Amino acid sequence: MENATDPSESGHLVFVDSYDADSRYRRVWLRGWGWEPMEREEFEPRVRRLFPDIDLDDPGQVHWVDRPGQWPPWHPGEA
């Protein structure tokens, strides 16, 4: 599921790919690191570890393709 936009040319530090209700993850592109699948609980700690001064609410730094701040539902015990 490669997004048509090349995040490396976007100027963003973080690029969150489209929401997929069939997965507990969203693909997240991190400048200098590439794409990683992440779930809600790991997103902020991972981003802040790489970019300590990032403003997660700044659309110039973090781009969400759709549904900003939303993550697919997941319940413990699901694969």
Side-chain angles (χ1 to χ4, degrees):
M1 160 171 76
E2 190 68 30
N3 193 284
T5 304
D6 180 359
S8 66
E9 296 178 6
S10 72
H12 297 97
L13 294 175
V14 177
F15 191 97
V16 183
D17 207 357
S18 57
Y19 182 99
D20 181 359
D22 292 334
S23 170
R24 74 188 227 201
Y25 303 100
R26 285 187 77 156
R27 284 183 354 122
V28 178
W29 179 85
L30 304 163
R31 181 168 299 285
W33 296 93
W35 290 101
E36 295 183 21
M38 289 189 204
E39 51 192 353
R40 175 190 314 266
E41 294 78 16
E42 62 190 332
F43 175 72
E44 185 172 349
R46 175 76 172 131
V47 170
R48 290 204 182 279
R49 191 172 327 125
L50 297 175
F51 310 110
D53 297 326
I54 194 168
D55 178 354
L56 294 172
D57 296 319
D58 180 355
Q61 296 180 48
V62 180
H63 175 76
W64 296 78
V65 170
D66 58 8
R67 300 186 189 192
Q70 292 185 23
W71 297 85
W74 176 78
H75 306 285
E78 290 182 354

